Amino acid sequence: MFGQLSHELEINVPASEAWELYGTLRLAKLLEEDGTLIQKFEVTEGDGGIGTILKLTFPPGTPGFTYYKEKFTKLDNEKRLKEAEVIEGGYLELGFTFHHTRFEVIEMDSDTCILRTTIEYDVKEEAAANASYATIDAVAKLAELAKNHLVKNKASKDTH
């Protein structure tokens, strides 16, 4: 059973600033500092570029799983596009055969961009009931967290 979910959030910062967060490991660091979506992240391979593998550990009580590893499969700084695929744990333990996330930062004008996240997944028929674990909620929270961080940093830059 194949599925696709997407989320968009407009943010009043230049696309280049948003990409400095989304296109790097700073995004995972921000998530870890916040602590509500992930408890910790570890780089198990790579330096943040294509082929980098992150182990994300989730807070106790997170429905479905305690951790997963994801691999950056695409990183295009010109198009401001990053893709990651779950390669161990998490969704794969719940009967998913594929779970892929695409992050895009789309420039609207010099001071505005859109954070677009798309999740694609495939679940084995016998595990179809677990498809509900594929949700846009976490990436929506991630986008809001990123937006708040970026706007706050922009405001502090503007006052200096």
Side-chain angles (χ1 to χ4, degrees), residues 7 9 11 22 115 117 138-148:
H7 178 268
L9 182 67
I11 180 170
Y22 264 75
L115 304 176
T117 308
V139 293
K141 288 178 189 170
L142 167 63
E144 283 292 337
L145 184 64
K147 176 183 178 178
N148 293 340

Side-chain angles (χ1 to χ4, degrees), residues 22 24-29 31 38 40-49 51-58 67-72 82 84-89 103:
Y22 264 75
T24 65
L25 294 172
R26 287 179 51 212
L27 186 62
K29 185 109 180 98
L31 278 172
I38 66 168
K40 71 175 184 169
F41 86 98
E42 301 166 64
V43 177
T44 61
E45 192 174 306
D47 60 3
T52 295
I53 297 174
L54 297 183
K55 179 181 180 185
L56 305 175
T57 303
F58 298 93
Y67 87 98
Y68 66 70
K69 287 185 180 180
E70 68 179 12
K71 183 176 188 174
F72 296 165
K82 177 166 73 174
E85 185 174 330
V86 175
I87 59 167
E88 179 185 307
F103 299 100

Side-chain angles (χ1 to χ4, degrees), residues 9 20 36 38 60 71-72 78 84 105 108 116 120 125-126 147 152 155:
L9 182 67
E20 284 176 25
T36 58
I38 66 168
K71 183 176 188 174
F72 296 165
E78 199 172 300
V105 176
M108 300 302 290
R116 178 189 295 152
E120 294 178 339
E125 285 305 317
E126 63 269 19
K147 176 183 178 178
K152 185 176 82 178

